[in-house]
C-alpha cells in the first residue's frame, strides 16, 4: 500500500478522517472534483445532500479504479459543500457511510471541508476531489 494514514500523538483523533497521510508510491493521481452526475451526466439526488455526497464518493471510486487505484491509495480529499453550516454534518456523514458501504471501504484519508457559495450548476450541492498515490 502506497499510503499510510496516521493520527500523530498530540493531534485529535477524528472519526471520519486521519490527520496525516504518508505516501511512498511512485504514481501521483489527481482526481478532478466529482459532482453527483451519473454516467450520462444527469444529476443524482437533486436537493438531497446525502444522496449527492454518496454519488460524489462513488464517482471518486470510479475515477480511482480508472487509474488502477482505490480509496486505499487516497492521500487527501477535499469536499466543497454549498452554503455549508454545521447542521448539515449528519447528511454529509450519511452520504459518506452509504458510499463506503457500497464500495466496501472506509474512506478516512486526511480531508478538508470547505463551504462555498456555489458550484458549477445550481443543482449541485457538493463536490469531492482526491489526490492519490499508487505504487
Amino acid at each position: 500500500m502506497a499510503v499510510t494514514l496516521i493520527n500523530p500523538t498530540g493531534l485529535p483523533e477524528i472519526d471520519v478522517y486521519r490527520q496525516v497521510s504518508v505516501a511512498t508510491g511512485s504514481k501521483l493521481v489527481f482526481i478532478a472534483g466529482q459532482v453527483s452526475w451519473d454516467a450520462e451526466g444527469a444529476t443524482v439526488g437533486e436537493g438531497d445532500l446525502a444522496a449527492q455526497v454518496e454519488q460524489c464518493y462513488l464517482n471518486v471510486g470510479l475515477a480511482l479504479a480508472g487509474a488502477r487505484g482505490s480509496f486505499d491509495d487516497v492521500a487527501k480529499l477535499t469536499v466543497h459543500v454549498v452554503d455549508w453550516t454545521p447542521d448539515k454534518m449528519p447528511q454529509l456523514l450519511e452520504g459518506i457511510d452509504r458510499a463506503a458501504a457500497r464500495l466496501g471501504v472506509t474512506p478516512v484519508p486526511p480531508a478538508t471541508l470547505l463551504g462555498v457559495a456555489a458550484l458549477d450548476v445550481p443543482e449541485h450541492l457538493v463536490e469531492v476531489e482526491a489526490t492519490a498515490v499508487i505504487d
Side-chain angles (χ1 to χ4, degrees):
M1 186 174 349
V3 177
T4 303
L5 304 176
I6 61 173
N7 278 318
T9 302
L11 293 176
E13 290 193 25
I14 309 296
D15 290 340
V16 296
Y17 67 88
R18 301 300 174 262
Q19 295 284 2
V20 176
S21 64
V22 179
T24 58
S26 58
K27 181 168 64 170
L28 289 176
V29 179
F30 300 93
I31 308 293
Q34 297 297 303
V35 293
S36 60
W37 281 330
D38 64 14
E40 287 75 42
T43 298
V44 173
E46 191 166 338
D48 182 342
L49 180 60
Q52 288 200 18
V53 169
E54 179 182 8
Q55 186 63 43
C56 290
Y57 273 72
L58 294 174
N59 289 348
V60 168
L62 288 170
L64 289 163
R68 299 181 190 249
S70 71
F71 266 95
D72 289 337
D73 302 307
V74 174
K76 177 78 167 65
L77 287 173
T78 303
V79 180
H80 303 84
V81 181
V82 173
D83 297 326
W84 174 258
T85 54
D87 63 306
K88 294 181 180 179
M89 186 61 81
Q91 294 172 299
L92 178 80
L93 295 176
E94 178 186 339
I96 293 169
D97 286 345
R98 290 184 346 207
R102 287 181 63 186
L103 293 166
V105 300
T106 304
V108 292
T112 298
L113 172 62
L114 300 170
V116 296
L119 292 169
D120 58 330
V121 295
E123 59 266 21
H124 289 157
L125 304 175
V126 63
E127 183 171 314
V128 180
E129 65 181 70
T131 302
V133 181
I134 301 173
D135 281 328

